């Protein structure tokens, strides 16, 4: 699929089938996150693959939305590694992690899988549930899987503001 078609067709999937995600497709999605551009190429993004029933249950208990996917990618960053802007100290780790998440969402869509970017979760609860995430700052949870029968984009998916409202030529 060409990129314009892919970016227009991708939507936040909220209804997943029970079909497992093939390891080779998961590997391609993770590679897209690894290849994401980061500030000064410091690569602070950290991706945790949650796919065991126990891990999925623990993650679900930390989220405000419940989609029951076969995989959840917890996207975080290591603040000790991330670049900080010299002029004001702004930490770019969250930005880097969000770029990695975006690339993984687009790769998933290209492979026929769906995701949704979940920011409605309790970071401290997530860190307590997964000690393996210690030293990172969680940014997003990406439920990942195949669309269930009847899954469709949200009603407002196609609503876009006019280009003139979003873009200014100076």
């Amino acid at each position: 699929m060409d990129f314009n078609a892919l970016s227009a067709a991708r939507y936040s999937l909220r209804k997943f089938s029970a079909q497992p995600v093939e390891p080779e497709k998961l590997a391609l999605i993770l590679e897209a996150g690894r290849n994401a551009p980061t500030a000064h190429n410091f690569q602070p993004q950290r991706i945790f693959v949650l796919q065991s029933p126990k891990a999925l249950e623990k993650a679900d208990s930390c989220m405000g939305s419940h989609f029951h996917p076969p995989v959840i990618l917890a996207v975080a960053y290591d603040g000790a590694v991330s670049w900080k802007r010299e002029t004001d100290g702004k930490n770019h780790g969250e930005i880097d992690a969000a770029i990695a998440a975006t690339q993984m969402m687009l790769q998933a869509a290209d492979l026929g899988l769906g995701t949704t970017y979940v920011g409605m979760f309790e970071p401290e609860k997530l860190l307590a549930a997964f000690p393996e995430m210690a030293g990172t700052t969680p940014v997003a949870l990406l439920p990942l899987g195949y669309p269930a029968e009847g899954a469709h984009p949200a009603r407002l998916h196609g609503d876009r503001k006019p280009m003139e409202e979003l873009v200014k030529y100076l």
Side-chain angles (χ1 to χ4, degrees), residues 16-49:
F16 293 86
S17 81
Q19 180 180 347
V21 175
E22 298 88 341
E24 58 276 6
K25 288 187 177 183
L26 179 59
L28 289 170
I29 292 164
L30 296 171
E31 184 68 15
R34 186 176 79 93
N35 286 332
T38 61
H40 286 262
N41 199 31
F42 284 3
Q43 302 174 46
Q45 71 272 36
R46 302 294 181 260
I47 303 155
F48 300 90
V49 180

Side-chain angles (χ1 to χ4, degrees), residues 59-67 118-122 141:
D60 190 67
S61 73
C62 301
M63 299 168 64
S65 301
H66 309 284
F67 303 113
V118 176
M120 190 169 40
F121 66 94
E122 298 176 60
L141 296 174

